[in-house]
Amino acid sequence: MVQKGDYILLEYTVTSKDDGKVVETTVEDTAKQANIYNPDEVYGPRLIIVGETKLFEPLEQALLATDEGGEVNVEVPPDKAFGERDQGKVKTLSIREFYKYGKIPKPGDVVEMDGQQARVISISSGRAILDFNHPLAGKTLLIKGRIVKKLVTDEEKAKQIVKIYLPRVEGGDVEVSVDKAAKSVTVKLPPSTLFIDKIGNVKLRIAEDLAEKFGAEKVQFIEEITIKREEQKEEGGGQPQQEQAQAQQQEGGVQSAQA
Amino acid sequence: MVQKGDYILLEYTVTSKDDGKVVETTVEDTAKQANIYNPDEVYGPRLIIVGETKLFEPLEQALLATDEGGEVNVEVPPDKAFGERDQGKVKTLSIREFYKYGKIPKPGDVVEMDGQQARVISISSGRAILDFNHPLAGKTLLIKGRIVKKLVTDEEKAKQIVKIYLPRVEGGDVEVSVDKAAKSVTVKLPPSTLFIDKIGNVKLRIAEDLAEKFGAEKVQFIEEITIKREEQKEEGGGQPQQEQAQAQQQEGGVQSAQA
């Protein structure tokens, strides 16, 4: 049985009970069939740390009664999901309010007003009716899930934590070792991660998370760059860099008085 | 004696012979005294790979006749420095040419025209006289230098190469080991480098340079982040990150249909 504190990989699909529409899924094919496929999303089972990852309570209860390989089928009523619909959150606004956004929305659009999202219900005679309720408010959700894997070793667990922050990096390209005695974790990342924007901040967040979860005080990151000499010469990939370094040194050698 | 291929750290000051003005120096105090101190520059002896780093020929010859700790005093005539002055590079332009730059330059300003720098000699009656000669063209240079250190070990050499690309990182914070048998170099960088913009590109250039100079095929970079638990709790530095990760997971748990 799954216990609190267990690390599991969960595959799941959430549908809205009343219309049977898929509202979210970790399964790429299901997303495509339901026409909610998002190329920016990374599909595949998701890491859940049971009792720590915030889940709808009926889902958490169901997981605690299941084991690796097992399936869960859960019905989540609105009060345990996104709350009941609140008619007070349906508001009428003057269309002039929208002028600052530069364009007039159409019914069905999602707009942001004062940091809150709202759906445009209708537009007529200079007024817009907006619904500030969460789109899933009032809906009963059906969650069908499968515990694909229960993670056992610290290495498996740490690797999945790294994956939260670097979802696009292939799991097979990340190597993690946890040394509890030395209170240290070592994360080897593929060279492709070198070019991720603000990778330093991502590493810092990974380090803080791993330190928290494994009681580590040191988190080491390693990237190994392999230099292919033949290619270098053919493509001139390395040589210009080398010349550039020399050029810098020479400039330094006697710098123009204009500088 | 210094030989071709030697790695030396050279401290130097370049003056213009005719007016005795310091045009460049690696010595911070000298730069300040000469009023050419630039806070963006990193002062201190510079790595020269003799025979590889492009130097004015008389300077290179002098270095080859000196040893660690020794001084050089070299006079470099214009033809071996920035060339003779070319009166043909002094050009008269209509002041209207400058309108596209949005402001009219003053005499003494350095402007860039078609990728070439020029000094403004004079401005009068709708015309500007520009000098496209290098500001040190026609000048004889005096170079006074001192070989502060001759680098012996691969580690010292590699560390100084890293320093070319990361001049602001304290040398003491960088650890380099070169394993020629394994054709690999390992560079340990301080965590401060995590936040350098485009650090991945810098690492790649370092890797290519080290691979070239030490015949390495693999260059490994390591950063070690130390997590201070007490500080974390007081400042809440680590905790919010943790919560953020959970929030991401929860969002993933049931994502809004608006997304």
Side-chain angles (χ1 to χ4, degrees), chain A residues 12 14 23-24 26 38 41 46-49 52-56 59 82 110-111 117-119 131 133-136 141 143 164-165 188 194-195 197-201 203-205 207-229 232 237-239 241-246 248-259, chain B residues 12 14 23-24 26 38 41 46-49 52-56 59 82 110-111 117-119 131 133-136 141 143 164-165 188 194-195 197-201 203-205 207-229 232 237-239 241-246 248-259:
Chain A
Y12 62 79
V14 183
V23 296
E24 211 228 326
T26 64
N38 176 358
E41 202 164 313
R46 209 153 288 176
L47 176 66
I48 305 287
I49 305 173
E52 190 179 313
T53 306
K54 281 174 195 153
L55 297 174
F56 297 133
L59 175 60
F82 291 99
V110 173
V111 298
Q117 287 199 322
R119 271 170 311 152
D131 185 353
N133 281 289
H134 190 285
L136 293 175
L141 304 176
I143 305 178
I164 295 174
Y165 298 92
K188 191 167 172 183
L194 285 169
F195 307 107
D197 192 36
K198 299 212 165 76
I199 182 68
N201 297 316
K203 283 177 171 173
L204 188 60
R205 279 159 53 204
E208 283 169 340
D209 205 353
L210 291 174
E212 166 88 20
K213 297 219 167 63
F214 297 98
E217 290 174 357
K218 283 181 183 177
V219 178
Q220 223 177 36
F221 289 92
I222 302 179
E223 300 113 10
E224 188 170 275
I225 300 177
T226 302
I227 308 286
K228 290 175 194 129
R229 301 222 141 249
Q232 249 191 43
Q239 205 53 27
Q241 303 291 3
Q242 175 51 22
E243 279 160 18
Q244 196 181 327
Q246 287 179 354
Q248 281 175 356
Q249 286 172 11
Q250 192 208 1
E251 253 186 72
V254 177
Q255 215 164 34
S256 134
Q258 286 179 324
Chain B
Y12 61 80
V14 183
V23 295
E24 212 227 325
T26 63
N38 177 358
E41 200 163 316
R46 210 153 287 176
L47 176 66
I48 304 287
I49 306 173
E52 191 180 312
T53 306
K54 281 176 196 152
L55 297 173
F56 297 133
L59 175 59
F82 291 99
V110 173
V111 296
Q117 287 199 321
R119 272 169 312 153
D131 185 352
N133 281 289
H134 190 284
L136 292 175
L141 304 175
I143 305 177
I164 295 175
Y165 298 92
K188 193 166 171 184
L194 285 169
F195 306 108
D197 191 36
K198 301 211 164 79
I199 183 67
N201 296 318
K203 283 176 171 173
L204 187 60
R205 279 159 51 203
E208 285 170 340
D209 205 353
L210 291 174
E212 166 88 19
K213 296 217 168 63
F214 297 97
E217 288 172 359
K218 284 181 182 178
V219 178
Q220 223 177 36
F221 289 92
I222 302 179
E223 300 113 10
E224 189 170 275
I225 300 177
T226 303
I227 309 287
K228 291 175 194 132
R229 302 222 140 249
Q232 249 190 43
Q239 205 54 26
Q241 304 290 5
Q242 176 50 21
E243 279 159 19
Q244 196 181 325
Q246 285 178 356
Q248 281 175 357
Q249 285 171 15
Q250 192 209 1
E251 253 184 74
V254 177
Q255 213 164 36
S256 136
Q258 287 179 324

Side-chain angles (χ1 to χ4, degrees), chain A residues 16-18 76-79 81-86 133-141:
Chain A
S16 171
K17 192 184 180 187
D18 60 359
V76 187
D79 66 306
F82 291 99
E84 300 291 352
R85 272 186 61 82
D86 176 359
N133 281 289
H134 190 285
L136 293 175
K139 307 275 189 193
T140 294
L141 304 176

Side-chain angles (χ1 to χ4, degrees), chain A residues 181-192:
Chain A
K183 296 189 174 182
S184 80
V185 179
T186 300
V187 180
K188 191 167 172 183
L189 297 175
S192 61

Side-chain angles (χ1 to χ4, degrees), chain A residues 57-90:
Chain A
E57 187 249 318
L59 175 60
E60 184 167 310
Q61 292 309 318
L63 291 174
L64 288 167
T66 317
D67 209 343
E68 185 173 45
E71 298 205 350
V72 290
N73 277 288
V74 186
E75 185 167 325
V76 187
D79 66 306
K80 292 188 170 170
F82 291 99
E84 300 291 352
R85 272 186 61 82
D86 176 359
Q87 202 51 36
K89 288 186 175 172
V90 177

Side-chain angles (χ1 to χ4, degrees), chain A residues 7-128:
Chain A
Y7 283 56
I8 60 169
L9 296 182
L10 185 71
E11 176 182 282
Y12 62 79
T13 295
V14 183
T15 52
S16 171
K17 192 184 180 187
D18 60 359
D19 57 11
K21 275 191 182 163
V22 174
V23 296
E24 211 228 326
T25 180
T26 64
V27 186
E28 185 165 335
D29 282 348
T30 306
K32 284 177 176 168
Q33 281 158 27
N35 258 330
I36 60 164
Y37 175 74
N38 176 358
D40 292 335
E41 202 164 313
V42 177
Y43 291 91
R46 209 153 288 176
L47 176 66
I48 305 287
I49 305 173
V50 181
E52 190 179 313
T53 306
K54 281 174 195 153
L55 297 174
F56 297 133
E57 187 249 318
L59 175 60
E60 184 167 310
Q61 292 309 318
L63 291 174
L64 288 167
T66 317
D67 209 343
E68 185 173 45
E71 298 205 350
V72 290
N73 277 288
V74 186
E75 185 167 325
V76 187
D79 66 306
K80 292 188 170 170
F82 291 99
E84 300 291 352
R85 272 186 61 82
D86 176 359
Q87 202 51 36
K89 288 186 175 172
V90 177
K91 292 175 183 168
T92 303
L93 274 91
S94 157
I95 200 84
R96 247 172 293 161
E97 292 283 320
F98 287 105
Y99 286 162
K100 57 183 158 187
Y101 300 100
K103 61 175 184 180
I104 307 300
K106 301 180 304 296
D109 282 359
V110 173
V111 298
E112 200 172 302
M113 306 280 290
D114 305 325
Q116 285 191 298
Q117 287 199 322
R119 271 170 311 152
V120 180
I121 304 289
S122 69
I123 301 261
S124 63
S125 58
R127 289 192 201 193

Side-chain angles (χ1 to χ4, degrees), chain B residues 14-25:
Chain B
V14 183
T15 53
S16 170
K17 192 184 180 187
D18 59 358
D19 58 11
K21 274 193 184 164
V22 174
V23 295
E24 212 227 325
T25 180

